[in-house]
Amino acid sequence: MENQVVKDSHTSQTSLRRWLEPVLVLAILGSLFGYLGSQMGLSSLVNTLFNTAHQLLLNTVLFIMGITVLSGALSQLLSEFGVIRLLEVLLAPLMKPIFRLPGRTALAALMTFFSDNPAVISLAKDSRFRKGFTPWQLVSLTNFGTAFGMGLIVVTFMATLQLPSGESTASAALIGLLGSLIGSVVSTRLMQHMIRPLVGETLMDDEVVSQGAKPGLSQESAPTWLRVLNALLDGGKSGVELGMAVIPGVLIISTFVMLLTFGPGEQGYNGEAFQGVALLPVLAAKVGWLFELLFGFQQPELVAFPATSLGAVGAAMSLMPPFIAKGWITGNEVAVFTAMGMCWSGFLSTHTAMLDALGYRHLTSRAIVAHTIGGLSAGVAAHQIYLWLG
């Protein structure tokens, strides 16, 4: 009898949710597009959506894809000829005192730096790699690896920007890289502190050895020229896949962020790309003093970059050309954006899946809190370092 009551209650809740969810979705979408349409006009709104997405696809996505193809080829070449293994050996002594992680964790940082966040999971699920990890160290790899995700792409993109003032962005991008490293330490160690009492100290001594190829190893019996060619082509192919993967985030997220960030054109709303209702700057201006204190932002609109980085750093990078065109970007902003973009690297869209793959999905909220604090620390550190060196 009791089971029947529980079953009936669950059925009624499911039925209610099936009716409530579509109503809520329609109400939210109706309110959003009703507000945007009332400000811009329905025809201008639709044209701006399509034109903005088109411009992002042509001018940003293809540029990012070019970077991912070349960086992918470079990273595969470095892996093929043992450079990554050498870097792992050199960096290993830093892992335990700084991150409280085994020395081999340096390989995880290198793999995510040259690719993206989920690369660390392929390592964490390899029993040869995880042998000797405690559970709290293994779980903290989610935060550790994410802090380096897409690092090469973000740093390269930022270092090659052209500012109207003629200021070089290469040094600012390197400062941002240092800020991201600081953020990674904060995020990783904070995550370890929060989960250590929950997951225990038992060492991960897996007896089953995975049969996959160990990262960084290659078919060394092949001729050198063939290894070079295969590494370049395979790395370039992975770069194309990564470039394709950022398209939805860039087109969907950035288009709506720009609608909420930028205002009308000189002739009002006429359907051109990069127009909007400028709602985000109004909200950000209410706490503009805080963003200026922490990050040195002089324009409230700049908060759109770190906000977008939470979901997709590729989409955040697409905001840079319009910001530069408006004269809002200096070396300080490049450093802060590099630090926060690299440290966060869209972690809200990947953390749940990464922790689920490790079997610790229930710790997602703690990982998100720790990494949010880590990203903010990265931005603050980059700003202070830029001021100190400037």
Side-chain angles (χ1 to χ4, degrees), residues 168-186:
S168 173
T169 58
S171 58
L174 293 177
I175 292 174
L177 175 60
L178 179 57
S180 180
L181 292 175
I182 295 173
S184 70
V185 176
V186 173

Side-chain angles (χ1 to χ4, degrees), residues 222-267:
T224 300
W225 67 269
L226 184 59
R227 292 170 60 195
V228 171
L229 182 61
N230 287 337
L232 293 175
L233 294 180
D234 290 344
K237 181 180 178 181
S238 66
V240 172
E241 294 172 352
L242 181 58
M244 293 290 289
V246 305
I247 290 178
V250 171
L251 298 192
I252 297 172
I253 298 176
S254 289
T255 297
F256 278 95
V257 168
M258 289 180 177
L259 275 175
L260 299 175
T261 301
F262 300 121
E266 296 180 356
Q267 301 177 353

Side-chain angles (χ1 to χ4, degrees), residues 110-131:
L110 293 170
M111 287 191 65
T112 54
F113 181 81
F114 286 115
S115 56
D116 202 358
N117 304 347
V120 74
I121 299 304
S122 64
L123 281 178
K125 293 177 73 68
D126 187 324
S127 58
R128 293 169 300 186
F129 176 83
R130 63 192 280 169
K131 185 177 178 66

Side-chain angles (χ1 to χ4, degrees), residues 99 143 147 177-189 339 343 370-371 373-379 381:
F99 294 99
N143 291 54
L177 175 60
L178 179 57
S180 180
L181 292 175
I182 295 173
S184 70
V185 176
V186 173
S187 175
T188 303
R189 300 196 67 154
C343 190
H371 211 66
I373 296 174
L376 294 173
S377 301

